[in-house]
Amino acid sequence: MENRKAVNTLGDTQILKEDRLFIQSWLDAYFDSPHRDILMSLPAKMDENDAGVPVEMQDGEVDEEGWVRWRMLDSAVTVEQIDELVDALIRPRSDTCGAAFSVPPLYAAYLSTRYVLNVYLRYDGCTIALPNLPSDSPLEEIRKLWSSWPILIEAGYIPFASYEDGAGPVCWDTNKPDQEQDYAVVWFDHESIFDEQQHSREKLEQHAQPLFSSFRAMLMQSSSR
């Protein structure tokens, strides 16, 4: 598949290297905060099915309440692994974007640069949570997100984050690409989706609430706050 080959070669391009450097700097700035101790403390993972901090990411002893400081680590996730997930969960489902879809390069860099937790983007009036990327299962949250919203994917809306306390998925609108393989960002109140009897593109776009012109714009605007 020609498009897939283009995506797979992304790992060898200067674009991905530059985007990974941007993500490294962006994450360093995000956690360089007076709230660092709060941001970088979470419940420790105690057994295989827990969603807590994996042992490899724990930075110190687990306290008496089961919490531990955590640290970012370099990621071993590859663009090929991301593309395999796209191949399994998005391309076969989407009548709107199908084989033409690829994850925006900057988001691929986010998924494949560092193992990181607790990334919340704050804006005037809302907070957006990016997927956690724990070292033992870094792509599990994005896998669950893509598995949970087939009705959106079929209509060309690809979930990649969560809006304000789980109010609904934040998505790329693949009908609105830009020149950098990125897409306009919208969000859906999950109640409006469930209330909608028909899940066609025409019906769903009435509930798509615009947020940003692209994922890159979304990160850039958050970094200034």
Side-chain angles (χ1 to χ4, degrees), residues 1-221:
M1 184 182 297
E2 183 177 351
N3 181 262
R4 181 174 179 180
K5 289 180 181 178
V7 175
N8 284 345
T9 58
L10 185 62
D12 297 325
T13 67
Q14 188 63 27
I15 293 174
L16 184 60
K17 293 177 183 177
E18 291 174 357
D19 283 343
R20 282 179 170 156
L21 287 173
F22 175 87
I23 290 296
Q24 288 176 7
S25 298
W26 185 88
L27 287 172
D28 287 341
Y30 175 83
F31 287 106
D32 184 15
S33 160
H35 308 294
R36 181 183 179 91
D37 287 344
I38 296 173
L39 289 170
M40 302 194 79
S41 295
L42 287 169
K45 185 167 187 171
M46 297 301 188
D47 64 50
E48 185 177 347
N49 296 320
D50 276 351
V53 180
V55 172
E56 298 87 351
M57 296 181 71
Q58 293 177 15
D59 187 17
E61 298 296 322
V62 179
D63 69 19
E64 63 276 8
E65 296 181 351
W67 285 61
V68 67
R69 286 181 58 84
W70 62 270
R71 59 185 174 179
M72 291 183 283
L73 298 174
D74 290 340
S75 176
V77 172
T78 66
V79 173
E80 287 78 12
Q81 289 172 325
I82 298 167
D83 197 59
E84 286 172 5
L85 204 56
V86 171
D87 230 10
L89 297 176
I90 293 179
R91 293 188 182 119
R93 289 179 173 174
S94 180
D95 296 331
T96 302
C97 57
F101 176 76
S102 61
V103 170
L106 190 61
Y107 192 78
Y110 171 74
L111 294 177
S112 62
T113 298
R114 285 183 177 167
Y115 301 131
V116 65
L117 311 169
N118 236 18
V119 179
Y120 294 90
L121 312 183
R122 291 173 173 83
Y123 306 93
D124 290 337
C126 77
T127 301
I128 295 173
L130 293 182
N132 286 323
L133 308 173
S135 58
D136 58 345
S137 55
L139 297 181
E140 186 60 25
E141 285 201 9
I142 192 66
R143 179 192 299 275
K144 288 180 179 177
L145 195 57
W146 288 346
S147 297
S148 297
W149 294 105
I151 60 172
L152 292 177
I153 292 173
E154 288 167 7
Y157 295 106
I158 312 301
F160 69 90
S162 299
Y163 191 87
E164 195 79 33
D165 297 326
V170 176
C171 303
W172 294 301
D173 182 350
T174 60
N175 275 20
K176 296 180 180 179
D178 67 9
Q179 299 301 311
E180 298 181 343
Q181 293 179 283
D182 208 335
Y183 306 93
V185 176
V186 301
W187 83 279
F188 291 87
D189 184 324
H190 64 78
E191 291 185 0
S192 69
I193 301 175
F194 291 138
D195 288 343
E196 183 61 67
Q197 296 301 309
Q198 298 181 45
H199 296 126
S200 65
R201 169 81 192 194
E202 182 181 6
K203 292 288 185 179
L204 286 170
E205 66 185 354
Q206 299 173 27
H207 302 289
Q209 302 183 49
L211 291 174
F212 305 97
S213 60
S214 66
F215 176 67
R216 185 175 295 274
M218 177 175 145
L219 282 196
M220 293 297 289
Q221 291 185 40

